[in-house]
Amino acid sequence: MEVRQHLSQLDLFKGLTAEQLEAITGTVTEKDYRKGELIFAEGDEGVGFYLVIRGRVKVYKLSAEGKEQIMHIFGPRMPFAEVPVFAGSRYPANAEAMESSRLFFFPKKSFITLIQENPLLAMNMLASLSQRLKQFSNLIETLSLKEVPGRLASYLLYLSDKNGSIDEFKLDIAKSQLASLLGTIPETLSRIFAKMGAREIVSIKGPEITILDREGLEDLAEGNTKL
Amino acid sequence: MEVRQHLSQLDLFKGLTAEQLEAITGTVTEKDYRKGELIFAEGDEGVGFYLVIRGRVKVYKLSAEGKEQIMHIFGPRMPFAEVPVFAGSRYPANAEAMESSRLFFFPKKSFITLIQENPLLAMNMLASLSQRLKQFSNLIETLSLKEVPGRLASYLLYLSDKNGSIDEFKLDIAKSQLASLLGTIPETLSRIFAKMGAREIVSIKGPEITILDREGLEDLAEGNTKL
């Protein structure tokens, strides 16, 4: 698919005219990354933002001891690393390709010119950043106010909702990554999955999850019951 | 001071013409809140955003058991609750006046019209939201990757920096609030303050903090040493 065709399908560019899309297309660079390849490191100069075309990218922070906290996982059609385009000048976290990925890169300077000439693009970007703020609020709530079983229950409900409230779906990341996202270690996560299975709240076969007791899962997520 | 004079001093409205400021002024409502008064609750319809003129406001989440996690404390000249203006339609957290406060309220609908007509205002708002995203990233890092002494050390360095890297300053919130902000309880916080005092890293007299050993405090904040 051509760059412009990709752009026309994205929320960030919805409502733009063909001419406006053409102008944006002219600024884009395509970049390919191998699985595990670093896209940028925290503190690097923020030269622009990215959009995932194919693959998946994790944005994460590292502690002094090397412990990783995933902030967000970005899949196809999702922009990331916009912060240094509008505030400050450095990337506030690290980004790494979780699998072989193709990204579009939007250089800061030309994007700022485009957005200043284009109120609809500015509104779309405001919506995108606000959405991210909402997700970060939820992550802060999850990390700070919920026990690990509640965090896992919330995440499973989130995955179910994302796929149209279905009861059977696949985990979209490896269990070790999921542990990091939920601020815990793989061993603890395995124990909680086992308990959820024994209580017949969910059944787990490899990456395949089936919700057996949605109400029970919601009670866990809301902290009304404990495992 | 008049509404327009206030607005002209704010980062959010910098660079705007007198005419543009006049148009914004026409949409603003002034609101006064008593200490402890709720401004909005999580899930309320997001009818607009606020700006602090006088006083202080905490935005926070509550767990099922009533435990509070402060997301952010907003003081004079700071806007808050912009998320539902641009994404979704409900406030994603609670807001309460921490002291007697005067706020400006900007209704959603008229503000969207203003921002669409005004690229500079859009850019200022993008900068404001990006700044908040950066702060939320840091809070996620603090809550997830640092032990409580490291969180406190980071917060004290933040207060020092905010006041121009001075070594003597006052805590800007009560210690019980600070405990909530750092995701801990007042007893734990007191014990850590006592240890920091015994090690001559900081001295604490009521709300007054003196940094005695900045390097030691930085090592704690970065997780290089433990208390």
Side-chain angles (χ1 to χ4, degrees):
Chain A
M1 218 188 312
E2 274 181 30
V3 173
R4 207 182 78 178
Q5 266 180 289
H6 274 293
L7 297 187
S8 68
Q9 292 173 6
L10 299 167
D11 281 350
L12 189 58
F13 302 118
K14 71 167 181 248
L16 299 192
T17 65
E19 206 173 46
Q20 289 165 330
L21 280 174
E22 197 58 54
I24 296 167
T25 303
T27 72
V28 169
T29 317
E30 288 184 77
K31 296 190 178 193
D32 288 311
Y33 293 86
R34 295 182 311 278
K35 180 176 174 173
E37 193 174 346
L38 192 73
I39 300 161
F40 54 77
E42 178 170 353
D44 282 356
E45 206 194 327
V47 285
F49 76 98
Y50 295 83
L51 203 135
V52 181
I53 296 304
R54 185 168 47 71
R56 231 139 19 111
V57 168
K58 66 175 175 185
V59 171
Y60 62 101
K61 292 260 199 180
L62 286 175
S63 75
E65 297 87 26
K67 193 187 150 198
E68 174 186 299
Q69 172 64 49
I70 294 180
M71 316 285 297
H72 209 283
I73 291 173
F74 296 90
R77 309 156 70 95
M78 296 165 81
F80 67 95
E82 308 92 335
V83 164
V85 175
F86 304 108
S89 60
R90 296 182 181 280
Y91 294 115
N94 310 283
E96 186 185 302
M98 296 173 73
E99 50 196 66
S100 166
S101 300
R102 166 158 295 182
L103 308 180
F104 283 176
F105 173 73
F106 300 80
K108 177 173 176 164
K109 217 177 143 185
S110 44
F111 194 77
I112 288 181
T113 308
L114 287 166
I115 218 165
Q116 281 169 333
E117 292 166 353
N118 202 326
L120 193 56
L121 183 57
M123 286 305 291
N124 290 347
M125 186 53 101
L126 282 164
S128 173
L129 294 186
S130 297
Q131 195 57 42
R132 193 83 42 77
L133 271 172
K134 214 158 75 177
Q135 288 159 342
F136 277 15
S137 301
N138 290 337
L139 181 57
I140 292 169
E141 181 179 26
T142 295
L143 290 173
S144 136
L145 296 178
K146 289 181 184 173
E147 307 288 330
V148 182
R151 298 179 197 173
L152 176 57
S154 304
Y155 187 75
L156 295 178
L157 288 168
Y158 160 76
L159 281 186
S160 164
D161 287 352
K162 208 172 88 168
N163 295 297
S165 293
I166 49 170
D167 284 336
E168 291 181 42
F169 52 87
K170 278 191 185 186
L171 282 184
D172 59 351
I173 47 174
K175 283 180 188 162
S176 58
Q177 299 280 3
L178 179 57
S180 162
L181 184 67
L182 301 178
T184 187
I185 54 173
E187 292 73 18
T188 305
L189 191 69
S190 296
R191 244 177 292 134
I192 295 167
F193 264 130
K195 274 195 191 178
M196 283 185 171
R199 297 266 182 102
E200 299 191 333
I201 296 171
V202 293
S203 93
I204 306 106
K205 278 184 196 149
E208 305 205 0
I209 306 285
T210 308
I211 298 180
L212 303 171
D213 174 5
R214 181 172 286 269
E215 218 167 290
L217 196 62
E218 285 170 352
D219 279 341
L220 264 182
E222 284 158 20
N224 299 328
T225 54
K226 301 210 177 272
L227 262 190
Chain B
M1 219 190 308
E2 275 180 31
V3 173
R4 207 183 78 178
Q5 266 179 289
H6 275 293
L7 297 188
S8 67
Q9 292 172 5
L10 299 167
D11 281 348
L12 190 57
F13 303 118
K14 72 167 180 249
L16 300 191
T17 65
E19 208 173 45
Q20 290 166 329
L21 279 175
E22 197 58 54
I24 296 167
T25 303
T27 71
V28 169
T29 318
E30 288 185 78
K31 297 189 177 193
D32 288 310
Y33 293 86
R34 295 183 310 280
K35 180 178 174 170
E37 194 173 346
L38 192 73
I39 300 161
F40 54 77
E42 178 169 354
D44 282 356
E45 206 195 326
V47 284
F49 75 98
Y50 295 84
L51 202 137
V52 182
I53 297 302
R54 185 169 46 71
R56 228 138 20 112
V57 168
K58 66 174 175 186
V59 170
Y60 61 101
K61 292 259 199 181
L62 286 175
S63 76
E65 298 87 24
K67 193 189 150 196
E68 176 186 299
Q69 172 64 49
I70 296 180
M71 316 286 297
H72 209 283
I73 291 172
F74 296 91
R77 309 157 71 94
M78 295 166 83
F80 68 95
E82 307 93 333
V83 165
V85 175
F86 305 108
S89 60
R90 298 185 180 280
Y91 293 115
N94 310 282
E96 186 186 302
M98 296 173 73
E99 50 194 66
S100 166
S101 299
R102 166 156 298 182
L103 309 181
F104 283 175
F105 173 73
F106 300 79
K108 177 173 175 163
K109 218 179 142 185
S110 44
F111 194 77
I112 287 181
T113 308
L114 286 166
I115 219 165
Q116 282 170 333
E117 293 167 352
N118 203 325
L120 194 55
L121 183 56
M123 286 305 292
N124 290 347
M125 186 53 101
L126 282 164
S128 174
L129 295 186
S130 298
Q131 194 57 40
R132 194 84 42 77
L133 271 172
K134 213 158 74 175
Q135 287 159 344
F136 277 14
S137 301
N138 289 336
L139 181 56
I140 291 169
E141 180 179 26
T142 295
L143 290 172
S144 137
L145 297 179
K146 290 182 184 172
E147 307 288 330
V148 182
R151 299 180 195 172
L152 177 57
S154 303
Y155 187 74
L156 295 178
L157 289 169
Y158 161 76
L159 282 185
S160 164
D161 286 353
K162 207 173 87 168
N163 295 297
S165 293
I166 49 172
D167 285 336
E168 291 182 41
F169 52 87
K170 278 192 184 187
L171 283 183
D172 58 351
I173 48 175
K175 283 180 186 161
S176 57
Q177 299 279 4
L178 179 57
S180 164
L181 184 68
L182 302 179
T184 188
I185 54 172
E187 292 71 17
T188 305
L189 191 69
S190 296
R191 243 177 292 134
I192 295 168
F193 264 131
K195 273 195 191 176
M196 284 185 172
R199 297 266 181 102
E200 299 192 332
I201 295 171
V202 294
S203 94
I204 308 106
K205 280 184 194 150
E208 306 206 359
I209 305 286
T210 308
I211 297 179
L212 303 171
D213 173 6
R214 180 171 287 268
E215 218 167 291
L217 197 62
E218 286 170 352
D219 279 341
L220 263 182
E222 285 158 21
N224 299 329
T225 54
K226 301 207 176 276
L227 261 190

